[in-house]
Amino acid sequence: MSLQESAAKRKAADGEAGQIDLTPMLDVVFIMLIFFIVTSSFVKEPGIEIFKPQATTTLACERGTIIFAVDSKGDIYYNKNKVPLERASQMVEIAKKEAPQANMVIQVDQDTPAYVVEDLYDAVRDQLTSPPCISTDDEA
């Protein structure tokens, strides 16, 4: 056996030993991905663009995943659909079954009539465990 043949065999053996098997790492990544998808809760956006009023003092709303929006005309939206006031209570009941710890958030426009927000709150008051949060923008 010549020196060239032994060097070629040694180089081939070193090449095989230097490869890293990525299969276990990919398994872990996919398991983590599945875990995060299964355990995440998705927020249903109201689906309209509103201009929120500004506030100097704001507190974060814990677990606010039931989101209603009231536009400047007084129309109520939930999950990108216009909802009559009479159905708002049913929507909250269904959402509470999906996420029992969820709080309600009301997004209002700057020009929203106050009586509409009050009527919405009165309609869903029985299903709530805590008062709803009113979504505002920070003061600039």
Side-chain angles (χ1 to χ4, degrees), residues 1-108:
M1 180 183 281
S2 71
L3 288 174
Q4 286 181 339
E5 291 174 359
S6 63
K9 285 183 182 181
R10 200 174 304 130
K11 190 182 244 186
D14 288 344
E16 290 177 10
Q19 291 182 352
I20 298 174
D21 186 16
L22 295 178
T23 305
M25 185 186 71
L26 290 174
D27 288 344
V28 170
V29 169
F30 282 121
I31 289 171
M32 288 175 55
L33 179 67
I34 291 169
F35 172 77
F36 288 123
I37 289 173
V38 169
T39 59
S40 65
S41 64
F42 297 99
V43 176
K44 295 180 179 177
E45 290 292 326
I48 62 168
E49 185 176 338
I50 57 174
F51 299 102
K52 298 177 189 176
Q54 293 182 345
T56 55
T57 58
T58 59
L59 298 173
C61 184
E62 296 180 19
R63 300 181 307 271
T65 57
I66 304 171
I67 302 175
F68 282 90
V70 184
D71 65 4
S72 59
K73 294 182 272 182
D75 295 330
I76 300 169
Y77 291 85
Y78 177 75
N79 198 16
K80 299 181 182 177
N81 296 317
K82 186 176 173 182
V83 177
L85 180 63
E86 298 78 29
R87 292 217 36 227
S89 178
Q90 295 171 350
M91 303 304 257
V92 170
E93 185 178 346
I94 292 168
K96 279 289 198 179
K97 286 180 183 175
E98 291 177 9
Q101 299 296 320
N103 288 339
M104 182 173 152
V105 176
I106 301 175
Q107 295 179 345
V108 296

Side-chain angles (χ1 to χ4, degrees), residues 70-75 108-118:
V70 184
D71 65 4
S72 59
K73 294 182 272 182
D75 295 330
V108 296
D109 193 85
Q110 292 176 350
D111 301 324
T112 298
Y115 72 89
V116 177
V117 178
E118 184 178 345

